[in-house]
């Protein structure tokens, strides 16, 4: 049986709570412990430790109570990534490019992210309402 890759689970849980990206955690483990890891290691740790809530600040970009079946939706992942960026967290170069690409289309088309917990899709895009939807999301209190 091989030795476990995670040297200090409490440390990893703290990093998840700080909103650290899997890429950052992999680089830090390589630097600190000379252990090469990938995203699957961190995702598995998150699942094993029942760390199911999204971590890090949401900056108001995810004001909804997101149903379990929608927690992995692309739109919510991008909103949370944008919230981390706004909070000053470092994103990997790939995430920076992916986020910029995701932001471009809704901006150009005048759309914002909307959420309906009762729908199968959960997240969708709706037309921005001038004066009511100033950011990336359909403000839930003005629906």
């Amino acid at each position: 049986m091989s030795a476990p890759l995670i040297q200090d689970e409490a440390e990893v849980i703290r990093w998840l709570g700080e909103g650290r990206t899997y890429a950052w955690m992999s680089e830090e483990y390589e630097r600190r412990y000379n252990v090469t890891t990938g995203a699957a290691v961190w995702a598995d740790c998150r699942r094993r430790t029942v760390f199911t809530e999204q971590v890090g600040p949401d900056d108001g970009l995810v004001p909804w109570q997101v149903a379990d079946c929608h927690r992995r939706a692309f739109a919510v992942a991008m909103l949370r990534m944008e919230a981390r960026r706004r909070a000053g967290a470092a994103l990997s170069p790939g995430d920076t490019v992916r986020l910029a690409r995701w932001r471009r289309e809704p901006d150009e088309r005048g759309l914002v992210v909307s959420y309906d917990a009762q729908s199968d899709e959960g997240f969708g895009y709706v037309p921005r309402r001038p004066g009511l939807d100033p950011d990336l999301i359909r403000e839930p209190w003005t629906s």
Side-chain angles (χ1 to χ4, degrees), residues 4-94:
L5 292 176
I6 295 180
Q7 307 296 308
D8 183 349
E9 197 166 86
E11 175 182 61
V12 173
I13 291 169
R14 187 179 77 252
W15 289 347
L16 290 167
E18 292 171 355
R20 301 290 186 176
T21 65
Y22 292 164
W24 183 91
M25 291 165 46
S26 292
E27 290 171 11
E28 189 66 8
Y29 248 59
E30 181 75 32
R31 185 184 72 75
R32 284 187 186 198
Y33 303 111
N34 198 28
V35 173
T36 302
T37 62
V41 170
W42 312 118
D44 182 57
C45 181
R46 177 179 289 219
R47 278 189 300 275
R48 278 187 301 101
T49 59
V50 194
F51 203 91
T52 57
E53 292 300 313
Q54 178 60 33
V55 295
D58 73 12
D59 195 34
L61 291 178
V62 186
W64 312 281
Q65 184 67 34
V66 179
D68 288 342
C69 61
H70 300 140
R71 288 192 188 279
R72 297 194 196 306
F74 183 70
V76 75
M78 292 294 98
L79 288 169
R80 289 178 170 142
M81 189 180 298
E82 172 65 9
R84 288 193 303 273
R85 185 194 66 78
R86 290 180 183 186
L91 300 179
S92 71

Side-chain angles (χ1 to χ4, degrees), residues 78-114:
M78 292 294 98
L79 288 169
R80 289 178 170 142
M81 189 180 298
E82 172 65 9
R84 288 193 303 273
R85 185 194 66 78
R86 290 180 183 186
L91 300 179
S92 71
D95 282 348
T96 300
V97 168
R98 188 167 56 144
L99 181 61
R101 191 177 307 135
W102 174 77
R103 295 268 328 249
R104 194 171 18 258
E105 186 176 353
D107 284 348
E108 290 173 356
R109 296 180 58 204
L111 302 174
V112 293
V113 176
S114 180

Side-chain angles (χ1 to χ4, degrees), residues 87-143:
L91 300 179
S92 71
D95 282 348
T96 300
V97 168
R98 188 167 56 144
L99 181 61
R101 191 177 307 135
W102 174 77
R103 295 268 328 249
R104 194 171 18 258
E105 186 176 353
D107 284 348
E108 290 173 356
R109 296 180 58 204
L111 302 174
V112 293
V113 176
S114 180
Y115 180 64
D116 177 3
Q118 305 307 313
S119 74
D120 288 340
E121 298 81 23
F123 289 91
Y125 298 87
V126 296
R128 177 184 305 281
R129 299 170 301 172
L132 294 176
D133 301 321
D135 206 350
L136 299 172
I137 65 168
R138 168 64 47 95
E139 297 295 343
W141 48 87
T142 61
S143 296

